[in-house]
Amino acid sequence: MSESTAEHAGGCDHEISHPVFAALYDLLPEPAQLRSHREYLVQDLSGRTLDLGCGNGELFPYAVDASTGDLEYHAIEPDPHMRTRAENNARETGLPVDLRDARAESLPYPDDAFDVVVAGVVFCTIQDPDAALEEVARVLKPGGEFRFLEHVRADDWRASGQDLLTPLWRRAAGGCHLNRDTIDRFVSHDAFGLEEIERTGVGVFPASPVVRGRLRRNRDGLFGIGTE
């Protein structure tokens, strides 16, 4: 980890614990449209994979169905209430998961550790998304893939509404920010080349629009969009 990344991660010292949100999250029905996007995140999944902030493990059954047979699945989840649910979900689905109590800003893995990193609606809750993205770049192998599904800041008058609602929403929804320019952050990072990006039909204001895509870790330590 670079010195600057370590400084960012060291500043994330508040406890992440949302028992009420975790309990309510179990009761929320999953929109039918969201299933296809979870399938997108795990399509033909193989190799060493990191689920970045797995929540209650809702991606686990999709990973089991999509696995090509050589999948080694790792996951982090800093909220103990969500992590307990994820452990139960892993047992129920039969997915062997190395699940750790860790934050995205300070991943407990060596450099170039993973073939794929998956983020499913998680960068909205990370305290320091820039530090977390640096960590994703660090632990991905050159040529490795970063797959994401995230709701982002709107690009019209609704952005002002998101700004107004975010302080209350963040307290009620497990630290979720409505107004982050997450995709701009992803595609402008020098460590990645853009593979694809798509605005989906999922999402209702204020948690919209929702965007999915894939980035490729640049090879040979070279930076710049599209570098091979």
Side-chain angles (χ1 to χ4, degrees), residues 15-179:
E15 181 183 6
I16 298 176
S17 179
H18 304 285
V20 175
F21 176 74
L24 292 175
Y25 196 85
D26 288 341
L27 302 177
L28 295 175
E30 181 174 90
Q33 308 98 308
L34 192 56
R35 295 171 188 169
S36 66
H37 299 301
R38 296 201 189 284
E39 291 169 353
Y40 169 88
L41 290 176
V42 300
Q43 183 178 17
D44 299 324
L45 199 61
S46 63
R48 297 195 76 207
T49 297
L50 175 62
D51 189 339
L52 193 75
C54 67
N56 64 0
E58 56 201 352
L59 201 60
F60 294 172
Y62 295 91
V64 169
D65 292 341
S67 172
T68 60
D70 64 343
L71 177 64
E72 182 182 325
Y73 205 90
H74 298 252
I76 64 161
E77 176 50 54
D79 188 315
H81 309 284
M82 283 292 197
R83 194 167 59 251
T84 296
R85 289 162 170 80
E87 291 168 349
N88 294 335
N89 206 346
R91 284 192 293 269
E92 291 173 4
T93 59
L95 178 67
V97 180
D98 181 354
L99 176 58
R100 303 191 188 186
D101 173 10
R103 299 187 184 217
E105 299 94 337
S106 183
L107 295 174
Y109 308 103
D111 296 354
D112 306 336
F114 294 100
D115 300 290
V116 183
V117 174
V118 176
V121 195
V122 64
F123 268 81
C124 58
T125 63
I126 293 172
Q127 183 178 354
D128 189 335
D130 290 316
L133 190 58
E134 290 292 334
E135 282 290 86
V136 170
R138 181 183 66 79
V139 303
L140 263 179
K141 297 176 181 178
E145 195 173 48
F146 176 37
R147 305 180 182 184
F148 58 87
L149 176 73
E150 298 288 343
H151 68 80
V152 300
R153 182 179 176 84
D155 53 8
D156 54 23
W157 59 268
R158 289 172 292 184
S160 297
Q162 290 173 328
D163 291 340
L164 290 172
L165 289 170
T166 286
L168 178 60
W169 184 275
R170 189 174 63 234
R171 289 193 293 271
C176 174
H177 294 72
L178 294 166
N179 56 350

